[in-house]
């Protein structure tokens, strides 16, 4: 017997809105195995923690016996869901789509269970590949031009004086009909998919099927505090990042994001989430400890407790001694009394002199943990020194005279 | 060798505009057999003289060796070209479409030649029936939402706050692609089809084919002087009307339309057309003679000179003697000195007294060709009289005492 309130409470931790909530409650209570639509566009995937929020909710439902239907939109990918950014997406070949689909499944299996009774893999070419034009036109008769143009992204395009190609206009119809064709009970998506998935409800009702519920998940900021994680902004934690990368990126998180990340990306109890948020607000060592706990919790989720423990130990060890890692790359200079600029030129040959001077002005350069202020300040090298140039770049500098 | 200027001059007699005129001139000059798209919706046909204007232009081109491709839009009929009037057309079954298609061919053959080298019959289900959804979406990518919404009928709908279903929005795309699929060189259509056929040019160009020319024909008024012939207004001369019906309807034409009808619907030399117009402007017997010539010319076109001659003779005989037909229905009254109203009551039992009085007030009632002015005027029936009530209603009235 499903404990419906418990399931809902769990989902709500990372849910913004539920469309058709009563439908969902009734179906969960029915004890029937639900079919959860997880539709993806087969462009090259690079799933990150933000996507995983949805996947973890599905995983929870899988653990209760429900079935995720992983729908590869191989037909619709040949159009591409129109975005606000670009007018037209590059068209993918069937071969590229297959490569991307395989990669998608691999990444998804980092969170989802893959036994056939809880994960069914489908492609929408199964129905669109053999659908007659007349049938498609019949679907078109179920929706109006005005209904489609109400999509905010289309309105934005019109407002910006940009064109909407007809194949883009019909994309939501196809994504919507998918829900009918695959008997979706529920789908868990970001708010950008709400319009298309509501069309799914529309088609299911028009065609005599019960409408799917639509769970819209919370959007969380990028690791730089930007509005969301995104590949193009390089402010995301990828599911395929190594445990070390995940741990390191989480340790670089702004203090203000610790509580949100703990709430959305971990399963830590909510009291502990609140406590971590409070600690992070203090800054300094309490914030650092809070991040260690957060990073360990998230790495545990993906790679297990042992890996997380090892990463935490490695991180702590590396950045012990006032945050300076133990095993620094060594740089030798040919004088025993170089200027700061000369040291930096040796350590950071990839930067120009003006970039190096900027680092100094920004206060990002220090010698043995003392900030330097002038590029021509001399540095006596009677003993090796630790040069810091930027927040996580350290070198050990020795005189080689 | 085609005499291009002569062909163009002939077409221009009933042409409003030619889109792609130079394309048409070049192709006529090439000496190649042109393919003329004649696309129809397979709703129940009832072709009239207005439609025949286009057909006669095609017939002329057939006579020069060009080929009409009669395209039954059997697939697109299942959508229906949206009109300004109704939001959605009734959907036809495949059986209804076949019945209508057969009837269409029959009516068309009243004007067009039907030998296979000058008349090819195609159906657009030939290409849409086997077209994949992905291919259709590819076509959709060649046109924008804004391009389609520019169609005046769609704009009118929006202005009137009425909906446009998505299948209606895509209809012009399908009609346009037809031109590519069937290698159309030329199509001859009414102005309501200009938008769709220009999309035909668009698709041909996008897909690497030479664009068809589009001849837009002149629109002529209905027999009542209304803006155009239309079944719903019952102001048209049908191609399947009998010679007698055609002759009679043309004789009832307003004098002011004689010249236009002669210009557009007959092949009479233009000097004669002008002369008929002048005669009609005089009214009375000259106008009547002009109509007799016009009616004879048009009936000749469809049924041959002998039939036309016979109809003209029959009409003249029937309405000789100051316009009174020879074989009148007889009405007997039980008194030898009835009033006008009593006579009318006997002759026109289908009309109410107030309707009869209105006829008298309108001057539409006469006895032996003398107009009567009062409903209680007595009529001595020592001999039978001819009662006229309305422009073409006559009775012979006798006393039966």
């Amino acid at each position: 017997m499903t404990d419906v309130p418990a399931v809902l409470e769990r989902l709500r931790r990372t849910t913004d809105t539920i469309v058709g909530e009563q439908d969902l409650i009734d179906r969960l209570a029915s004890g029937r195995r639900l079919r959860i639509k997880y539709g993806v566009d087969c462009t090259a995937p690079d799933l990150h923690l933000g996507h995983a929020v949805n996947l973890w909710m599905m995983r929870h439902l899988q653990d209760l016996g429900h079935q995720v239907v992983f729908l590869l939109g191989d037909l619709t990918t040949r159009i591409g869901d129109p975005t606000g950014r670009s007018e037209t997406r590059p068209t993918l070949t069937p071969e590229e789509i297959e490569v991307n689909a395989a990669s998608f499944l691999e990444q998804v299996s980092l969170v989802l269970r893959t036994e056939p009774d809880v994960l069914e893999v489908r492609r929408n070419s199964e129905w669109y590949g053999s659908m007659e034009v007349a049938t498609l036109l019949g679907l078109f008769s179920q929706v109006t031009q005005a209904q489609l143009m109400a999509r905010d992204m289309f309105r934005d395009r019109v407002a910006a004086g940009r064109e909407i190609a007809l194949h883009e206009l019909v994309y939501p119809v196809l994504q919507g009909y998918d829900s009918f064709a695959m008997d979706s009970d529920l789908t868990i998506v970001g708010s950008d998919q709400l319009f298309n998935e509501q069309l799914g409800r529309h088609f299911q009702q028009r065609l005599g099927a019960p409408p799917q519920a639509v769970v819209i998940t919370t959007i969380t900021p990028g690791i730089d505090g930007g509005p969301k994680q995104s590949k193009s902004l390089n402010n995301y934690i990828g599911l395929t990042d190594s445990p070390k990368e995940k741990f390191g990126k989480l340790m670089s998180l702004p203090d203000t994001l610790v509580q949100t990340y703990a709430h959305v990306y971990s399963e830590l109890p909510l009291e502990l989430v609140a406590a971590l948020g409070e600690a992070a607000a203090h800054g300094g060592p309490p914030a650092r400890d809070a991040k260690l706990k957060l990073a360990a919790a998230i790495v545990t989720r993906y790679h297990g407790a042992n890996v997380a423990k090892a990463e935490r130990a490695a991180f702590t060890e590396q950045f012990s001694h006032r945050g300076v890692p133990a095993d620094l790359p060594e740089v030798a200079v040919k004088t025993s009394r170089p200027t700061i600029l000369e040291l930096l030129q040796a350590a950071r040959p990839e930067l120009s002199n003006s970039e190096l001077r900027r680092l100094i002005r920004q206060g990002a350069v220090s010698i043995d943990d003392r900030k330097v202020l002038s590029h021509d300040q001399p540095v006596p090298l009677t003993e090796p020194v630790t040069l810091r140039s930027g927040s996580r770049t350290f070198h050990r500098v020795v005189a080689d005279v």
Side-chain angles (χ1 to χ4, degrees), chain A residues 366-388:
Chain A
S366 59
I367 296 290
D368 287 340
D369 213 32
R370 258 167 301 161
K371 210 169 273 182
V372 298
L373 300 169
S374 157
H375 67 273
D376 53 8
Q377 177 182 330
V379 182
L381 286 183
T382 46
E383 281 190 16
V385 297
T386 298
L387 169 69
R388 183 174 194 155

Side-chain angles (χ1 to χ4, degrees), chain A residues 39-64:
Chain A
V40 303
D41 207 333
C42 300
T43 45
D46 205 349
L47 299 185
H48 54 61
L49 287 195
H51 300 113
V53 168
N54 305 16
L55 292 173
W56 283 113
M57 290 162 84
M58 293 184 229
R59 167 60 187 267
H60 177 60
L61 291 164
Q62 280 186 319
D63 290 342
L64 295 171

Side-chain angles (χ1 to χ4, degrees), chain A residues 51-250:
Chain A
H51 300 113
V53 168
N54 305 16
L55 292 173
W56 283 113
M57 290 162 84
M58 293 184 229
R59 167 60 187 267
H60 177 60
L61 291 164
Q62 280 186 319
D63 290 342
L64 295 171
H66 300 296
Q67 186 174 39
V68 169
V69 185
F70 181 53
L71 176 66
L72 294 161
D74 57 344
L75 191 287
T76 37
T77 299
R78 292 169 69 177
I79 317 176
D81 189 15
T83 65
R85 245 176 309 163
S86 64
E87 250 101 288
T88 318
R89 284 202 183 190
T91 310
L92 297 179
T93 65
E95 293 71 32
E96 289 169 321
I97 287 175
E98 285 314 303
V99 168
N100 293 342
S103 165
F104 229 127
L105 255 175
E106 200 184 317
Q107 294 186 31
V108 159
S109 68
L110 295 174
V111 177
L112 293 184
R113 288 167 53 182
T114 55
E115 308 95 278
D117 61 329
V118 290
L119 185 71
E120 182 178 307
V121 180
R122 303 293 294 271
R123 288 151 199 267
N124 65 8
S125 60
E126 290 170 37
W127 41 92
Y128 291 124
S130 59
M131 183 180 275
E132 293 197 1
V133 165
T135 308
L136 183 66
L137 296 174
L139 293 184
F140 287 177
S141 73
Q142 305 286 326
V143 59
T144 69
Q145 180 266 349
Q147 232 177 321
L148 295 173
M149 288 301 292
R151 189 178 181 187
D152 46 5
M153 189 270 295
F154 290 143
R155 285 203 312 255
D156 292 348
R157 279 247 197 120
V158 170
R162 284 201 307 240
E163 291 188 332
I164 299 163
L166 184 58
H167 70 298
E168 297 180 305
L169 186 70
V170 309
Y171 187 97
V173 172
L174 301 175
Q175 183 174 334
Y177 177 75
D178 282 343
S179 297
F180 172 80
M182 62 190 282
D183 296 319
S184 169
D185 288 301
L186 166 67
T187 189
I188 300 175
V189 294
S191 59
D192 57 333
Q193 295 305 309
L194 174 59
F195 181 91
N196 296 356
E197 294 301 337
Q198 274 185 319
L199 265 186
R201 287 171 60 83
H202 172 80
F203 278 111
Q204 288 175 309
Q205 286 170 307
R206 283 294 182 102
L207 300 170
Q212 65 183 2
V214 184
V215 169
I216 304 297
T217 53
T218 316
I219 291 187
T220 41
I223 53 175
D224 58 353
K228 65 173 186 172
Q229 297 188 53
S230 121
K231 191 175 179 180
S232 57
L233 297 173
N234 193 26
N235 66 348
Y236 70 112
I237 299 174
L239 291 196
T240 56
D241 282 353
S242 68
K244 187 176 292 301
E245 286 169 320
K246 288 196 183 84
F247 208 103
K249 286 181 180 178
L250 286 162

Side-chain angles (χ1 to χ4, degrees), chain A residues 270-287:
Chain A
L270 293 177
E271 314 84 68
L272 183 50
V273 168
L276 291 181
E278 213 168 306
H282 280 100

